[in-house]
Structure formats: C-alpha cells, structure tokens
C-alpha cells in the first residue's frame, strides 16, 4: 500500500493531476497494487487566503509518505519568488531532494523543432543537482539602494553534495545500459573552483566505473550539441543552475513543457514528482491543457517506487496516445480535451 501525498496546486495543476490520478487508478487495478491518497492544499490561493505557504507540520507529514505528486505552484497575483522559495525550493532543501531527474525522450509522433531528429536521436536523461549551487541562497547585499550597492550570489558546492549527485548519475548510466556514457556539463574554463571540484570528483568516481565512457562539455557548448547532435547524449550530470537552464532547452526538443516532467528525488527518503509546465494560468479551468507531462511525472513516480511494470505500461500508453491519437502537444490543439486524453490513456491501460 503506497501512501501518496497529492498537491494539485495552482492554475492548471489540479486539471492535470486529476488525469494523472485517473491513470494511476487504471494502472493500479491492472498491476495489482494499492495506494492511499492524501490531498494538500498548497499554493497561491492558500497563500492569498491565509498567508501560509508550506507549514512546518505539512513538511513533517510529507516525510511519512512514499511519494509526493505535485501539479504546479505559481500564481499571477503573488510576487515572484515567494511561492517558489517557500514551497518548491523549501521542499527540495528540507526534504533533501538532492536529485532533479529530467528524462528527455521524444515520443514517436510528437513534433520536435529539431529538423531530421526523431525518437532514436532524442533519448537521454539530465541529472541536475537540486540542493546547492546558486540556489543555496548564499550571498547578500551591501549598501542596498545606494549608488554603491553590491549584490553577491554565491554558488555553494560541497564535496558531499557533488559526490552524491555524481554517484547517482553513474549508477543511473549503468542501469540505463544505453551508450554507457556520462557527460559532465560544467564551465571548467571560467568557474575554476566549483567545476574543479566537480571534475575531480567525477574523475575519482569514474575509476569505479571503468565501463562508463567519460565525457565533458562546457554548458554553453552543450546547448549547441543538444540541438545539433542530441544523439550524442546518454546521461548528462550538472549543477543546479545549469541543470535548470539546459532542461528547459531539452524540454523544447522533446515536444515542449506539455510533455516534460521532473522527479525531485531523495534516494533514501520521500521523493516528489511534477510536470515541468508550471501553472499556465491563462488556460485554467478550460480543460485544454496537455496532461501528458503530469502522466510522465506519474510514470517516473511508479518507476522510483519500484513498480517498473506499471511504469512501463504507462509509458506504452503515452507512446500510443501521443503518436496515434493526439494531434499536437500544445494546449488547445490536442484534438482532445485534457480529460479526454486522460480517458484515452486509462482506456489503453485497462485493455492492455
Ligand atoms: C524548475 C523551475 C524552478 C527552478 C523554479 C520555479 C524555482 O524553474 O523546476 O526548473 O528554478 O528550479
Ligand atoms: Mn526551471
């Protein structure tokens, strides 16, 4: 029996989570596992109503779940930074979700803006460090508001944090068993402290994995290769900030934010899974948003929970529905409503 915390969140979050849960029910019946859902009201609406973002008690309760399934956090009426820092980043830091796992997989039949590249070429995973770097919040102002103002934002990289992230990436690369190639994405030519640590630690761990091909690319160059030669990549590992940036680029190559999902993983504790798209407020309540990203997040959740057969079945359903049924991955142009896409997936699973 899996205990799953559900955070539908803001904007279109609840609409896509609803379809994710529809798929969960279908696949649980098919694969004979049981689960219990507990809903949490977090996000912009609650903040506007009560001033609360993520109460300590909720954070404590989260620790007792097997997984957290999140729709979207973000509200047009709330100053940028508040909900992000106090909900999303706080969950990442306080629950020590130190891996941000972002599969980049182009499903058959899904449009990519990259000419002449298809599902064969666009199939890799980005492992983003999720608790340190520029996101650590280290720095501050001097003489704020004066002409002499100084703003400092430091990138924090600990040996422990870098090592556990790299170890996860090496293990994943091994398990994936594709090209057995792990690309470290950094900026060793300029950030000569931070990425010196990354590079040294990478080289040390690589000794334990002689079958994995070593690879390195600067972050600016990797942006070129991800567009020009995505087939070069198997697993990419990088720091928090670079990972944030390159995974948005990667998401576009796999069909956009309607498709891309992320896992915020603590391999020793509870993990959180979310679509990458955000709350998309302008589509709220219209039943037009693409739920595929939320289903991909669910699929990752099942995989991490150890329900590998169930995860595979969900992926098959997504491949089929995306390639044969849906007309587009863009909101409002799918040829189906949000709930109809969920129905198609649940139906495929039930009949499998
Ligand atoms: C992401 C998002 C977040 C990040 C924001 C919303 C804080 O862009 O999950 O990639 O920067 O990590
Ligand atoms: Mn981002």
């Amino acid at each position: 029996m899996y205990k799953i915390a559900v955070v539908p969140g803001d904007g279109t979050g609840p609409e896509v989570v609803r379809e994710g849960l529809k798929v969960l029910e279908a696949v649980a019946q098919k694969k004979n596992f049981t689960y219990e859902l507990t809903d949490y009201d977090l996000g912009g609406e609650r903040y506007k109503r009560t001033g609360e973002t993520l109460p300590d008690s909720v954070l404590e309760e989260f620790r007792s779940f097997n997984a957290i399934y999140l729709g979207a956090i973000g509200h047009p009426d709330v100053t940028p930074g508040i909900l992000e820092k106090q909900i999303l980043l706080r969950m990442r830091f306080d629950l020590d979700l130190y891996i941000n796992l972002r599969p980049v997989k182009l499903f058959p039949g899904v449009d990519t803006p990259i000419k002449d590249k298809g599902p064969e070429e666009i199939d890799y995973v980005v492992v983003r460090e999720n608790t340190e770097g520029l996101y650590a919040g280290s720095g501050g102002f001097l003489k704020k508001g004066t002409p002499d103002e100084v703003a400092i934002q430091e990138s924090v990289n600990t040996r422990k944090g870098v090592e556990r992230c790299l170890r996860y990436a090496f293990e994943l690369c091994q398990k994936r068993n594709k090209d057995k190639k792990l690309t470290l994405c950094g900026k060793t030519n300029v950030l000569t402290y931070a990425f010196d640590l990354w590079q040294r630690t990478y080289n040390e761990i690589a000794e334990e994995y002689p079958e994995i091909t070593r690879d390195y690319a600067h972050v600016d160059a990797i942006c070129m290769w991800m567009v020009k030669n995505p087939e070069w990549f198997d697993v990419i590992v990088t720091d928090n900030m670079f990972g944030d940036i390159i995974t948005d680029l990667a998401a576009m190559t796999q069909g956009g934010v309607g498709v891309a999902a992320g896992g915020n993983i603590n391999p020793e504790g509870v993990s959180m899974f979310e679509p990458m798209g955000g709350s998309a407020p302008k589509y709220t309540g219209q039943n037009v948003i693409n739920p595929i990203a939320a289903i991909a997040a669910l699929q990752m959740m099942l995989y991490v929970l150890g329900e590998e057969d169930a995860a595979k079945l969900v992926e098959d359903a997504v491949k089929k529905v995306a390639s044969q049924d849906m007309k587009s991955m863009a909101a409002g142009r799918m040829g189906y409503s949000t709930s109809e896409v969920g129905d198609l997936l649940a139906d495929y699973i039930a009949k499998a």
Side-chain angles (χ1 to χ4, degrees):
M1 164 84 98
Y2 298 109
K3 285 182 66 191
I4 299 168
V6 181
V7 183
D10 296 316
T12 52
E15 290 166 61
V16 296
V17 159
R18 196 175 303 130
E19 301 318 307
L21 296 178
K22 195 185 273 177
V23 170
L24 176 62
E25 193 184 317
V27 76
Q29 279 192 17
K30 197 77 190 178
K31 295 290 172 187
N32 288 313
F33 64 86
T34 57
Y35 60 92
E36 180 188 276
L37 303 175
T38 308
D39 250 48
Y40 284 90
D41 171 25
L42 301 175
E45 289 302 329
R46 174 160 176 187
Y47 176 69
K48 279 175 63 187
R49 221 170 48 238
T50 69
E52 284 174 311
T53 47
L54 178 57
D56 294 345
S57 58
V58 171
L59 197 63
E60 279 316 305
E61 280 172 48
F62 278 164
R63 296 183 201 277
S64 68
F65 286 89
N66 296 105
I68 304 165
Y69 187 46
L70 185 139
I73 297 288
H75 199 291
D77 303 345
V78 180
T79 311
I82 295 179
L83 302 172
E84 291 85 345
K85 278 194 160 167
Q86 294 182 26
I87 302 180
L88 204 56
L89 297 182
R90 180 137 180 264
M91 278 171 76
R92 289 179 185 170
F93 294 157
D94 288 19
L95 299 174
D96 207 18
L97 311 177
Y98 63 84
I99 298 297
N100 196 320
L101 191 62
R102 299 197 163 170
V104 185
K105 190 172 177 128
L106 179 68
F107 290 120
V110 172
D111 276 344
T112 173
I114 305 190
K115 193 166 149 276
D116 300 332
K117 303 290 178 188
E120 283 283 301
E121 287 83 21
I122 302 175
D123 181 8
Y124 57 95
V125 182
V126 178
V127 175
R128 163 185 172 188
E129 201 291 322
N130 212 26
T131 55
E132 304 193 333
L134 282 167
Y135 280 67
S138 175
F141 296 108
L142 289 171
K143 303 181 187 175
K144 190 175 181 187
T146 75
D148 297 326
E149 176 162 355
V150 181
I152 297 173
Q153 193 97 43
E154 292 160 321
S155 177
V156 176
N157 297 263
T158 67
R159 168 72 199 211
K160 180 183 150 200
V162 168
E163 180 168 342
R164 66 185 182 175
C165 178
L166 287 167
R167 285 198 178 279
Y168 185 92
F170 272 100
E171 277 300 314
L172 178 71
C173 192
Q174 183 91 280
K175 188 161 186 215
R176 225 170 107 81
N177 200 19
K178 198 187 162 228
D179 303 331
K180 292 259 180 97
K181 177 173 161 188
L182 178 61
T183 306
L184 172 63
C185 163
K187 188 74 184 172
T188 52
N189 54 346
V190 177
L191 306 181
T192 50
Y193 309 127
F195 284 100
D196 186 75
L197 174 61
W198 277 85
Q199 183 78 75
R200 266 184 292 121
T201 312
Y202 177 101
N203 290 343
E204 276 175 41
I205 300 172
E207 295 292 324
E208 298 170 32
Y209 295 87
E211 65 286 21
I212 289 181
T213 304
R214 298 185 196 192
D215 188 33
Y216 172 84
H218 294 320
V219 63
D220 46 353
I222 220 170
C223 291
M224 300 196 296
W225 308 133
M226 283 166 65
V227 173
K228 192 168 177 292
N229 298 97
E231 67 279 6
W232 284 356
F233 301 112
D234 176 7
V235 178
I236 298 174
V237 62
T238 190
D239 84 346
N240 208 342
M241 188 77 258
F242 292 166
D244 178 47
I245 298 166
I246 69 169
T247 54
D248 267 29
L249 172 60
M252 283 302 131
T253 69
Q254 70 181 121
V257 286
V259 183
N264 295 264
I265 295 174
N266 176 341
E268 294 90 37
V270 63
S271 299
M272 183 267 272
F273 301 86
E274 56 176 345
M276 262 179 71
S279 60
K282 70 175 178 187
Y283 297 117
T284 304
Q286 293 179 31
N287 202 19
V288 296
I289 196 82
N290 189 347
I292 292 290
I295 315 287
L298 178 90
Q299 188 259 342
M300 218 187 307
M301 178 173 94
L302 291 169
Y303 188 81
V304 171
L305 286 173
E307 294 292 335
E308 297 190 11
D309 281 359
K312 175 79 174 56
L313 181 54
V314 172
E315 186 174 318
D316 290 347
V318 169
K319 275 189 189 155
K320 193 270 174 185
V321 170
S323 66
Q324 293 173 30
D325 301 317
M326 294 170 72
K327 309 221 165 0
S328 159
M329 292 297 121
R333 282 184 278 157
M334 303 186 290
Y336 296 92
S337 66
T338 307
S339 47
E340 282 169 344
V341 172
D343 291 341
L344 286 168
L345 292 161
D347 206 54
Y348 175 93
I349 290 166
K351 290 183 181 143

